């Protein structure tokens, strides 16, 4: 069996056209096209000409793509500490045969790999990662809680390491440096009276700190020999060199060379490890806050549900609920799954999912979403979507995927980090050799080298982009704006042209009666009753709109007839009532003609009613504009974004609607299959285009745009094709999504600037570049504190996005 993706289909006619084209190709047997999955499948019955198939389908107005066999796996990576680790994992996986794409995220500690299962197994990917010095395990959504617990354990571990380190580092620092500040030490550890005791006490105080920071040596040093040095390598080499030199100096003191007591460097090793442990604790604590949005979403769904079993409701675990089950939701309870109300009424709070603060009243036949809260009343619902198929589960998956993805702007940091640590090692070596050559001695040269190794941490570089993306996507989810990936989040800030679909996007998508003008002596009450009575017998959308706008009792209707494209007629109260377009009604007079024309010019659909061939009323029916449309378009125009409205309506109606909402330009009379072409034409002019839509017919245009924005109340196909999903039916969120993207990119650029600036300034100072001219020298302990602060500052800056005004 062969399978292809079909692009450009919008309706059943498209399905027939593709099937017809495919059936003309020799070797193709029983072609079947599925509109919902947008796929063509068929059996092979002989030699098959694929090129001919592609050409025939293209001639029919559609495009084919081969279905990719590639799979995507998400792996949780243990042991990554900086951007160099990210680069090492990425390189180890990317060189495997069968891997087409790999993305590694330091903030989420996950790798996403796209690979060909015919050429590669997941076990081989894990093995490559482990050879690079890290641990990998497959990750699924069900592992989120376990992952959270693992991160909490990591935070606790760093806290314990810091506490152990600081308990010993404080007395170590006092003993090592106190006598230099005038602090008198007890005689038995005074460096002038008992230099050996002075050294031994520092050695024994440093040992527990070294043990607490053993990961720097057990992980960092081996990574150097694997060819993937990272932050742990730099810290391990720097503090390890200081410690080993201290041990050497202690041996020398024991041998009678008391002059070594002046520079032991135990305090440098101990205090640096303590400060870095503190930095890692705060960094992990802050990074834990970046995924709060996911945890809040996951906590929306209850763990158990009341399900009907043999005429009574029993409590069962949520994962055991199946589609078709009847559930009871009492006041105050969260709705467990997506479903339809079959009994009872209630007010439902949807704010956590949509951001809409006003509760929604639901009753029999109403759709409800899992994770929303029943404020009052009791309802019975029939489950329609359970498990991973619920809206809440899909939102969680979408946000997780967005947080795990990388924005294109991150490529710069990825590229730099691959060369950064080796560069630092070379600088450290050159620093040591240079100062030795200049005659400054081993101790001074060692101090400069340690400072270089410790200050040049690439942590800030690796965290700059992913933390900002995590916080921003979480903030967006809380506002009801779902970015599907980092690329969408980045591209949105460049948008300078927005195309709005009309029906269901700018307008409500449901006709409403907005004008009712009576004529020829009829009263409004009398005419409305007659019109509503005849409309009640019709299922036409315009007639349903008329009936929805009427409150009152109806009259008996007989001899009802409907004329396609014209209108309806019936006998009511012994008279002939007709309702339809002016042509169907017949000669109506000048006043009716003027009313019809004025309504048409305003973009409304005119409907005329007559009684016994006498014009009774002229009705104006319109697809009412959403309250948010005018405000949103005004905000976009103020920010310099060009606005377009695209519709299949005639030019006059489209321009009337556009004038009401203030849209700059109108693209009217566009067939669904041509919407993507219009988007392409605008892109060719140099615009970064966002397409906003809600229907199946919008999906090709959503996919063709630089940023596709789907209204959450729209179809699943439209949502699937989009890059951004708006959970609220509010076009102001189009503006908010652009503003959030701008704020995020601004935040990322700030992070990257400070990460690069910090290292650009810090490394030369640590290497002593300004020492001979200005006497400027960086103590290794200060370098350690600065390194720890750099990572924390980047994460804290990213966390500002949680509170920034959009």
């Amino acid at each position: 069996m062969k399978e292809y993706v079909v692009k450009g289909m919008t309706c059943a006619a498209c399905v027939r056209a593709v099937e017809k084209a495919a059936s003309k190709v020799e070797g193709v047997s029983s072609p079947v096209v599925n509109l919902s999955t947008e796929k063509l499948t068929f059996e092979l019955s002989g030699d098959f000409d694929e090129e001919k198939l592609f050409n025939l389908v293209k001639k029919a107005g559609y495009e084919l793509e081969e279905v990719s066999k590639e799979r995507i796996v998400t792996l949780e990576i243990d042991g990554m500490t900086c951007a160099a680790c990210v680069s090492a994992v990425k390189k180890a996986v990317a060189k495997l045969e069968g891997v087409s794409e790999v993305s590694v995220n330091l903030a989420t500690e996950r790798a996403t790999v796209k690979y060909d299962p015919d050429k590669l197994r997941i076990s081989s990917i894990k093995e490559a990662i482990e050879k690079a010095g890290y641990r990998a395990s497959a990750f699924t959504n069900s592992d989120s809680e376990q992952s959270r617990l693992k991160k909490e354990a990591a935070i606790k571990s760093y806290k314990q390491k810091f506490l152990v380190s600081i308990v010993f580092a404080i007395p170590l620092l006092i003993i090592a440096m106190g006598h230099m500040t005038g602090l008198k030490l007890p005689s038995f550890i005074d460096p002038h009276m008992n230099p050996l005791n002075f050294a031994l006490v520092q050695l024994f105080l440093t040992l527990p700190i070294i043990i607490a920071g053993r990961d720097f040596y057990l992980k960092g040093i081996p990574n150097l020999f694997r060819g993937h040095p990272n932050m742990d390598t730099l810290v391990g080499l720097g503090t390890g060199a200081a410690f080993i030199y201290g041990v050497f100096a202690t041996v020398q003191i024991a041998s009678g060379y008391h002059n070594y007591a002046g520079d032991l460097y135990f305090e440098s090793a101990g205090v640096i490890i303590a400060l870095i442990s503190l930095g890692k604790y705060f960094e992990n604590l802050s990074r834990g806050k970046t995924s709060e949005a996911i945890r809040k979403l996951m906590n929306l769904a209850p763990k158990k549900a009341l399900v009907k079993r043999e005429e009574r409701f029993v409590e069962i675990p949520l994962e055991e609920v199946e589609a078709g089950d009847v559930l009871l939701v009492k006041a105050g309870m969260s709705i467990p799954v997506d479903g339809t109300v079959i009994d009872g009424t209630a007010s439902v709070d949807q704010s956590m999912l949509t951001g809409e603060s006003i509760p929604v009243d639901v009753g029999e036949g109403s759709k409800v979403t899992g994770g929303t809260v029943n404020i009052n009343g009791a309802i019975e619902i029939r489950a329609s979507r359970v498990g991973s198929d619920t809206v809440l589960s899909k939102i969680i998956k979408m946000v997780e995927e967005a947080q795990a993805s990388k924005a294109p702007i991150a490529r710069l940091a990825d590229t730099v980090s691959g060369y950064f640590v080796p560069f630092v090692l070379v600088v450290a070596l050159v620093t040591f050799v240079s100062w030795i050559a200049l005659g400054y001695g081993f101790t001074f040269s060692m101090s400069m080298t340690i400072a270089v190794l410790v200050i040049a941490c690439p942590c800030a570089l690796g965290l700059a982009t992913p933390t900002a993306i995590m916080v921003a996507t979480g903030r967006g989810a809380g506002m009801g704006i779902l970015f599907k990936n980092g690329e969408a989040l980045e591209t949105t800030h460049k948008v300078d042209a927005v195309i709005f679909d009309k029906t269901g996007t700018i307008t409500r998508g449901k006709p409403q009666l907005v004008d009712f003008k009576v004529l020829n002596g009829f009263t409004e009450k009398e005419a409305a009753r007659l019109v509503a009575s005849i409309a009640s017998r019709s299922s036409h959308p315009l007639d349903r709109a008329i009936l929805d706008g009427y409150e009152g009792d109806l009259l008996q209707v007989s001899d009802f007839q409907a004329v396609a494209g014209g209108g309806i007629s019936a006998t009511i109260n012994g008279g002939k009532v007709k309702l339809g377009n002016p042509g169907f009604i017949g000669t109506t007079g000048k006043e009716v003609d003027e009313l019809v024309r004025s309504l048409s010019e305003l973009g409304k659909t005119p409907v005329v009613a007559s009684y016994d061939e006498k014009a009774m009323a002229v009705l104006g029916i319109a697809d009412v504009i959403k309250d948010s449309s005018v405000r949103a378009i005004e905000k976009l125009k103020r920010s310099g974004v060009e606005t377009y409205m695209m519709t299949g309506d005639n030019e006059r109606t489209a321009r009337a609607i556009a004038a009401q909402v203030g849209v700059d330009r109108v693209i009217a009379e566009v067939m669904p299959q041509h919407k993507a072409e219009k988007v392409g034409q605008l892109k060719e002019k140099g615009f970064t285009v966002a397409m906003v839509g809600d229907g199946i017919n919008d999906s090709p245009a959503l996919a063709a745009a630089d940023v596709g924005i789907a209204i959450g109340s729209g179809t699943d196909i439209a949502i699937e094709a989009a890059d951004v999903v708006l959970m609220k039916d509010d076009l102001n969120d189009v503006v908010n999504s652009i503003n959030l993207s701008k704020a995020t990119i601004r935040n990322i650029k700030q992070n990257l600037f400070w990460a690069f600036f910090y290292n650009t300034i810090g490394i030369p100072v640590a290497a002593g570049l300004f020492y001979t001219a200005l006497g400027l020298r960086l103590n290794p302990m200060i370098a350690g504190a600065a390194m720890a602060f750099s990572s924390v500052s980047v994460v804290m800056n990213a966390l500002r996005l949680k509170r920034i005004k959009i």
Side-chain angles (χ1 to χ4, degrees), residues 518-596:
V518 292
L519 306 163
N520 298 322
F522 287 92
T523 67
E524 186 172 333
K525 183 177 180 181
E526 178 186 15
R529 194 179 185 195
L530 288 167
V531 168
S533 297
I534 189 172
S536 68
R537 299 294 297 272
S538 171
S539 59
H540 192 281
L542 297 183
D543 295 324
R544 302 312 299 174
I546 292 169
L547 187 61
D548 289 342
Y550 175 75
E551 294 180 2
D553 57 331
L554 300 173
L555 298 167
Q556 187 70 33
V557 178
S558 60
D559 302 325
F560 178 83
Q561 288 184 323
V563 177
I568 54 178
S569 64
T571 301
I572 304 176
N573 284 350
K576 188 75 169 180
V577 178
K578 295 175 76 176
L579 182 69
N581 61 45
F584 174 73
I585 300 299
T587 305
T588 51
K590 185 178 179 182
E591 185 179 5
V592 172
D593 291 343
E594 288 178 355
L595 285 170
V596 167

Side-chain angles (χ1 to χ4, degrees), residues 386-406:
V386 299
S388 60
D389 289 332
T390 64
V391 169
L392 179 60
S393 295
K394 288 179 179 178
I395 291 173
I396 291 171
K397 184 183 178 195
M398 204 180 294
V399 175
E400 283 186 330
E401 287 176 350
Q403 292 188 340
S405 67
K406 281 199 172 184

Side-chain angles (χ1 to χ4, degrees), residues 282-567:
F282 280 130
E283 178 190 315
N284 279 268
L285 193 66
S286 301
R287 278 162 59 181
K289 293 178 181 178
T290 62
S291 55
E292 281 180 4
I294 291 285
R295 289 200 295 274
K296 284 181 180 178
L297 287 169
M298 293 181 71
N299 290 333
L300 289 181
K303 300 292 183 284
K304 295 184 177 181
L306 292 172
V307 179
K308 197 169 191 177
R309 295 283 188 265
E310 297 178 357
E311 300 306 315
R312 68 189 185 92
F313 290 95
V314 296
E315 191 174 64
I316 65 171
L318 183 62
E319 56 268 22
E320 293 181 17
V321 177
E322 296 181 2
D325 282 346
V326 174
L327 290 76
L328 175 64
V329 185
K330 299 177 182 178
M333 292 174 62
S334 292
I335 295 172
V337 296
D338 298 355
T340 305
V341 177
I342 58 174
D343 187 38
T345 59
S347 290
V348 177
D349 180 1
Q350 300 179 338
S351 58
M352 285 301 290
L353 276 182
T354 66
E356 184 58 60
S357 59
I358 301 173
V360 176
D361 292 331
V362 299
E364 190 174 341
S366 300
K367 304 287 185 184
V368 290
T369 305
T372 55
V373 180
N374 180 5
I375 298 176
N376 56 45
I379 52 174
E380 290 183 20
I381 66 170
R382 189 176 301 280
S384 57
R385 294 180 179 178
V386 299
S388 60
D389 289 332
T390 64
V391 169
L392 179 60
S393 295
K394 288 179 179 178
I395 291 173
I396 291 171
K397 184 183 178 195
M398 204 180 294
V399 175
E400 283 186 330
E401 287 176 350
Q403 292 188 340
S405 67
K406 281 199 172 184
I409 197 172
R411 291 172 191 153
L412 175 62
D414 287 349
T415 302
V416 171
S417 62
Y419 301 98
F420 184 75
V421 176
F423 166 75
V424 171
L425 291 173
V426 171
V427 170
L429 181 61
V430 170
T431 298
F432 181 78
V433 172
S434 298
W435 287 114
I436 287 285
L438 289 170
Y440 279 82
F442 181 85
T443 302
F444 182 89
S445 304
M446 176 65 71
S447 173
M448 291 295 195
T449 303
I450 292 170
V452 169
L453 290 170
V454 171
I455 199 169
C457 170
C459 294
L461 200 59
L463 292 168
T465 302
T467 47
I469 288 176
M470 285 185 71
V471 177
T473 49
R475 173 72 188 279
M479 296 167 63
I481 302 170
L482 305 180
F483 290 93
K484 287 191 174 179
N485 50 55
E487 186 172 355
L489 182 58
E490 178 176 340
T491 306
T492 303
H493 91 282
K494 301 176 186 176
V495 168
D496 52 11
V498 178
I499 302 176
F500 292 95
D501 171 55
K502 181 181 79 73
T503 306
T505 303
I506 286 179
T507 65
R508 296 185 186 278
K510 183 181 179 182
Q512 290 185 13
L513 178 63
V514 293
D515 288 287
F516 194 96
K517 176 70 174 177
V518 292
L519 306 163
N520 298 322
F522 287 92
T523 67
E524 186 172 333
K525 183 177 180 181
E526 178 186 15
R529 194 179 185 195
L530 288 167
V531 168
S533 297
I534 189 172
S536 68
R537 299 294 297 272
S538 171
S539 59
H540 192 281
L542 297 183
D543 295 324
R544 302 312 299 174
I546 292 169
L547 187 61
D548 289 342
Y550 175 75
E551 294 180 2
D553 57 331
L554 300 173
L555 298 167
Q556 187 70 33
V557 178
S558 60
D559 302 325
F560 178 83
Q561 288 184 323
V563 177

